[in-house]
Amino acid sequence: MAGRRDGSLMRDKTQSFRGSRIVTAIVVGVLLGSVCAFFFPRGFFSLDPPIQGRRFGKLDLQTSSSQCESTERINMLRSDIGSLSDKNDELKKQVQDLTEKLRLAEQGKDHAREQFSVLGKPHKAGPPGTVKGLRTNPTVIPDDSVNPRLAKILEDVTVQKELIVALANSNVKAMLEIWFTSIKRVGITNYLVVGLDDEIEEFCIANDVPVYKRDPDEGIDSIAKTGGNHAVSGLKFRILREFLQLGYSVLLSDVDIVYLQNPFNHLYRDSDVESMSDGHNNMTAYGFNDVFDEPSMGWARYAHTMRIWVYNSGFFYIRPTLPSIELLDRVAGRLSKEKAWDQAVFNEELFFPSHPGYDGLHASKRTMDFYLFMNSKVLFKTVRKDANLKKLKPVILHVNYHPDKLPRMKAIMEFYVNGKQDALEPFPEGSQW
C-alpha cells in the first residue's frame, strides 16, 4: 500500500513539473513577441523602404490624380454653369422682346378691332352737318414693367394722368429756374423735370421741384450732359416714349417758356397731338391756300398749294395712343441716322401723306390758339405794338424765335407778372446777328 502511494505521488510531481514548464514557455514566448513587436513594427522582412526616403506610393498617386481630376471637373462645371447662365439671360431677353412685340401686336389688334367696329359696319349717313368721322384714337394699355421707378414717380406727380415734362441739363439752369418759378406761381402741381445730369437733379431737389434722374444710358448720356438746346431737344422723342407706354398724357415743354396760366384748362384733348404753332397770324398758324404762279404754263399758270407753318416741337400735348408712339419712334429713328433738325423731322412725319414708297402716319392733330400759346415772334412783332392785344393774357410764352432767351424771359415776367409796361420795349423784333 505504501509502495503504491509513493508511486502515485511521483507521477503527480512529474505532471506538475511538466505543466509549470509549459506555462513558463508560454510566458517567455509572449514576452519575446512583445519585444519584437515593439522594436520591429513592420516585421523582420518588410519590402517597403523607410518613410523618410520613399516616394509617393501607388495609393498616394491615385489620391493626387483623383484630386486633380476633381478640380478640373469642378472648373468645367463652373464654366458650364456660367455658359448656361449667359444663355439663360439671352433667352430671357428674347422672351421679353417677344412679349413686348406680342403686347404691341395685341394692342394693334384691339385698336384695329375698335376701328373696325366703327368703320367696318355700314352706317346710314344722317342729315348734312351731323356726320362726324372717328377722330380720337384709343389709349394704349399701361405697362408699368417698362419703367417701374418712373411709374411710381408719376403716380405721385400727375393729375388725371397728365403732366408737364421738361428735359434739362446744367447748360439751361438759369432758364429752368424762371420756368419752374412761373409754373409754381400759377399753381400748377403736375410737372416733372427730367434731369440729364447730377447738377440739375440737385438743383431741383434744393428748390422742391419734382425731378426724375434717368438711369445711365451710354447711347445718349454724352448728349444729355453736354449738348446744347437743339441736341437735347432731339432726345425728348426717345425719353417721352416711356411716359406714353406707362399710360400718361404729356405736355412736353422746353425750358425757354414762361407760364402765365394753367395750360391744362385750355386743351381740347381730341387729337393724338395738340401743338403750338410757329405761325404768327391766322393764315400761317392754321393753314392757307397759296397760289404758285408759273407763267410759262399759259392757261394753267396758277397752281394752288395748301400751306401751314410748322408745329413747334418744343411745346405740344401728346396722348398715349399707338399713332403717338409711332410718331416718337419715327422721329427718334430718323434723328439717330440723319443730321436733321428735330422740329423739321417732327413735322414731316406728322404731315406727309402716304404715297408710293412711303406710308404716312395716321395721327390726328390740332393746332393750338396762337394768341394763347404764343411764340416770341407774335409777341415782339405784333402784340407789344397793339394796345388791345397787350391786354391779352397768354397761357404761355415761348421764346423760340430769339437766341437771347434769358433776358427776354425776364422781361416777359416783368411785363405780365409785375406790370412793368415798358419791359418789352428795349428788344428788337428779330435777333441781333
Side-chain angles (χ1 to χ4, degrees):
M1 295 291 292
R4 284 195 291 270
R5 280 199 299 271
D6 294 337
S8 177
L9 290 172
M10 288 295 292
R11 285 195 298 273
D12 291 339
K13 289 180 180 180
T14 302
Q15 291 177 352
S16 176
F17 177 73
R18 289 178 179 172
S20 63
R21 289 176 64 189
I22 293 172
V23 171
T24 302
I26 291 172
V27 171
V28 171
V30 170
L31 291 173
L32 289 173
S34 298
V35 172
C36 292
F38 179 81
F39 289 103
F40 302 97
R42 302 180 63 86
F44 294 103
F45 306 102
S46 175
L47 297 177
D48 292 338
I51 291 178
Q52 290 83 353
R54 68 183 179 92
R55 297 180 181 272
F56 287 110
K58 183 177 180 181
L59 181 62
D60 295 325
L61 290 173
Q62 290 177 345
T63 303
S64 177
S65 175
S66 176
Q67 290 177 347
C68 290
E69 290 178 359
S70 298
T71 302
E72 291 177 359
R73 183 61 178 165
I74 291 172
N75 291 335
M76 289 177 63
L77 289 173
R78 286 176 178 172
S79 177
D80 291 343
I81 291 171
S83 178
L84 290 173
S85 179
D86 293 339
K87 290 181 180 179
N88 187 45
D89 292 340
E90 184 178 350
L91 287 173
K92 282 183 180 179
K93 187 177 185 303
Q94 291 177 357
V95 169
Q96 290 175 351
D97 293 341
L98 289 173
T99 302
E100 174 67 9
K101 290 179 181 178
L102 179 62
R103 188 182 65 80
L104 292 176
E106 288 294 329
Q107 287 183 354
K109 184 174 69 175
D110 293 340
H111 174 63
R113 187 182 295 115
E114 184 168 341
Q115 291 281 51
F116 179 79
S117 67
V118 176
L119 302 177
K121 296 178 182 179
H123 291 270
K124 184 177 181 180
T130 64
V131 177
K132 291 186 179 296
L134 183 66
R135 285 177 171 80
T136 305
N137 288 297
T139 58
V140 299
I141 300 171
D143 183 8
D144 288 356
S145 66
V146 171
N147 191 329
R149 185 166 67 90
L150 178 59
K152 183 67 175 90
I153 294 173
L154 295 181
E155 286 180 6
D156 299 330
V157 171
T158 58
V159 174
Q160 296 181 347
K161 297 190 77 69
E162 297 178 322
L163 78 161
I164 300 171
V165 174
L167 279 66
N169 61 20
S170 54
N171 292 336
V172 296
K173 185 175 178 180
M175 287 190 292
L176 178 65
E177 185 171 11
I178 296 178
W179 180 85
F180 66 66
T181 299
S182 68
I183 284 179
K184 290 181 177 182
R185 192 189 66 82
V186 296
I188 302 170
T189 59
N190 51 331
Y191 68 101
L192 180 70
V193 174
V194 177
L196 300 178
D197 56 36
D198 295 335
E199 184 178 348
I200 284 297
E201 181 184 26
E202 295 169 1
F203 180 65
C204 289
I205 293 174
N207 286 276
D208 196 25
V209 172
V211 61
Y212 162 63
K213 179 69 163 53
R214 297 179 55 260
D215 293 329
D217 187 333
E218 292 181 1
I220 63 177
D221 275 352
S222 59
I223 299 175
K225 294 179 180 179
T226 61
N229 194 44
H230 282 301
V232 171
S233 184
L235 299 178
K236 58 177 169 261
F237 299 99
R238 293 175 60 176
I239 295 174
L240 280 183
R241 193 186 204 278
E242 290 185 346
F243 287 80
L244 300 194
Q245 283 184 276
L246 293 171
Y248 293 91
S249 296
V250 174
L251 185 57
L252 188 280
S253 173
D254 283 352
V255 296
D256 56 346
I257 291 176
V258 175
Y259 287 75
L260 301 172
Q261 298 185 60
N262 190 330
F264 292 108
N265 297 334
H266 300 271
L267 297 175
Y268 285 80
R269 301 175 178 84
D270 63 348
S271 304
D272 296 305
V273 178
E274 193 169 343
S275 177
M276 74 172 294
S277 172
D278 271 2
H280 60 95
N281 54 28
N282 287 340
M283 288 178 57
T284 57
Y286 308 138
F288 63 102
N289 179 9
D290 185 40
V291 180
F292 177 76
D293 185 9
E294 191 175 7
S296 64
M297 288 298 295
W299 175 80
R301 65 182 289 179
Y302 299 111
H304 290 257
T305 68
M306 302 306 299
R307 298 188 62 186
I308 184 172
W309 284 29
V310 295
Y311 281 177
N312 191 289
S313 63
F315 189 87
F316 60 87
Y317 179 79
I318 186 166
R319 296 176 60 249
T321 66
L322 289 178
S324 296
I325 294 175
E326 184 182 359
L327 171 64
L328 298 180
D329 288 346
R330 286 184 178 217
V331 177
R334 283 186 56 184
L335 291 176
S336 67
K337 302 172 184 176
E338 306 172 16
K339 288 185 178 180
W341 183 25
D342 69 280
Q343 181 161 293
V345 175
F346 174 71
N347 280 272
E348 288 171 4
E349 293 297 334
L350 198 54
F351 284 96
F352 281 177
S354 297
H355 55 261
Y358 175 79
D359 290 329
L361 180 72
H362 298 278
S364 57
K365 45 198 170 289
R366 169 181 281 274
T367 307
M368 293 176 172
D369 186 322
F370 71 92
Y371 278 129
L372 293 180
F373 299 90
M374 191 182 297
N375 61 58
S376 57
K377 180 176 182 178
V378 174
L379 175 64
F380 287 98
K381 185 176 181 179
T382 305
V383 170
R384 69 170 176 171
K385 299 176 182 178
D386 188 296
N388 290 323
L389 292 178
K390 286 177 71 173
K391 297 176 183 178
L392 294 175
K393 187 178 183 180
V395 176
I396 61 106
L397 266 160
H398 190 179
V399 188
N400 60 315
Y401 269 98
H402 301 88
D404 51 338
K405 298 178 181 297
L406 186 58
R408 290 187 187 245
M409 290 178 72
K410 291 179 179 179
I412 289 169
M413 290 288 286
E414 287 292 325
F415 179 79
Y416 284 103
V417 177
N418 299 328
K420 188 177 180 182
Q421 294 300 305
D422 61 346
L424 304 176
E425 300 308 318
F427 298 93
E429 287 184 3
S431 60
Q432 300 287 348
W433 293 98

